[in-house]
Amino acid sequence: MAKPISKNIYQLPFGKVAKPIPEPAPFHKENKWLKYSLDFSMPEGTRILAAAEGTVYLVVDRYTKGGSAKSLASLTNRVIIKHDNDEYTDYVHLKKGCNVKKGEKIKQGKIIGYSGSTGYTTYPHLHFSVMKPANDGSWKTVIPRFEIDDRIITLESPKD
């Protein structure tokens, strides 16, 4: 069976200030809908950019703490942006103080917030997903395609 790949082409959501290599993400394997999500290690306060033009679908911007307890999983700041082809990008673990509002139309590269360490996390990073709505009302992730150095590539989490 072919792996699901994004139809849209995205830019890295942090420009060239962090390495474009995702970290291993064991929690994603435990939660099948996160299968193709990516975790990018970066210092707290790194600018997070809209990976493509779209409309802000969701903003959660009220948490200040994070840690290694799984009970913190839902207590994270995040932004979700809706794009063409019924794809959504999800930016998770942001610092409190997001720069966008629900319903706002934004351009690729706009600063939407800053990396943080909110929710269930053991190190500062950006959790990034390209998602599509499933028929049952849940979400499924797809492998994102990025344009990096004039090439189109796909990225997946490395095997542990």
Side-chain angles (χ1 to χ4, degrees):
M1 182 172 176
K3 293 180 178 180
I5 297 177
S6 67
K7 291 183 179 178
N8 299 329
I9 298 170
Y10 298 94
Q11 78 172 18
L12 289 171
F14 43 78
K16 295 186 178 189
V17 298
K19 65 179 184 162
I21 310 293
E23 300 289 334
F27 184 67
H28 298 173
K29 291 180 182 150
E30 296 172 26
N31 295 279
K32 298 285 187 215
W33 81 274
L34 296 173
K35 182 175 183 176
Y36 299 116
S37 297
L38 303 169
D39 285 349
F40 295 100
S41 177
M42 62 186 62
E44 284 193 51
T46 301
R47 296 180 318 160
I48 302 303
L49 313 172
E53 180 177 298
T55 302
V56 177
Y57 176 79
L58 174 77
V59 176
V60 177
D61 188 25
R62 61 182 167 269
Y63 302 108
T64 57
K65 296 182 181 173
S68 60
K70 286 185 181 179
S71 61
L72 296 170
S74 64
L75 305 178
T76 187
N77 298 325
R78 72 191 312 169
V79 171
I80 299 177
I81 301 172
K82 184 179 190 317
H83 306 284
D84 290 342
N85 296 310
D86 208 23
E87 291 183 351
Y88 296 73
T89 50
D90 191 15
Y91 311 78
V92 183
H93 304 299
L94 302 175
K95 284 181 74 167
K96 189 173 184 328
C98 294
N99 294 0
V100 294
K101 304 249 185 280
K102 182 177 178 177
E104 181 180 350
K105 294 193 182 317
I106 58 173
K107 299 282 186 200
Q108 182 180 52
K110 176 182 172 55
I111 299 171
I112 61 172
Y114 297 87
S115 66
S117 201
T118 59
Y120 174 47
T121 180
T122 55
Y123 63 95
H125 69 282
L126 173 69
H127 169 99
F128 177 83
S129 301
V130 176
M131 309 181 305
K132 293 185 75 71
N135 292 335
D136 63 3
S138 65
W139 295 98
K140 62 180 179 178
T141 56
V142 298
I143 298 169
R145 291 191 305 155
F146 292 100
E147 182 174 357
I148 301 175
D149 297 328
D150 297 320
R151 295 180 332 162
I152 306 302
I153 66 164
T154 58
L155 287 179
E156 292 186 66
S157 290
K159 307 288 184 241
D160 296 338

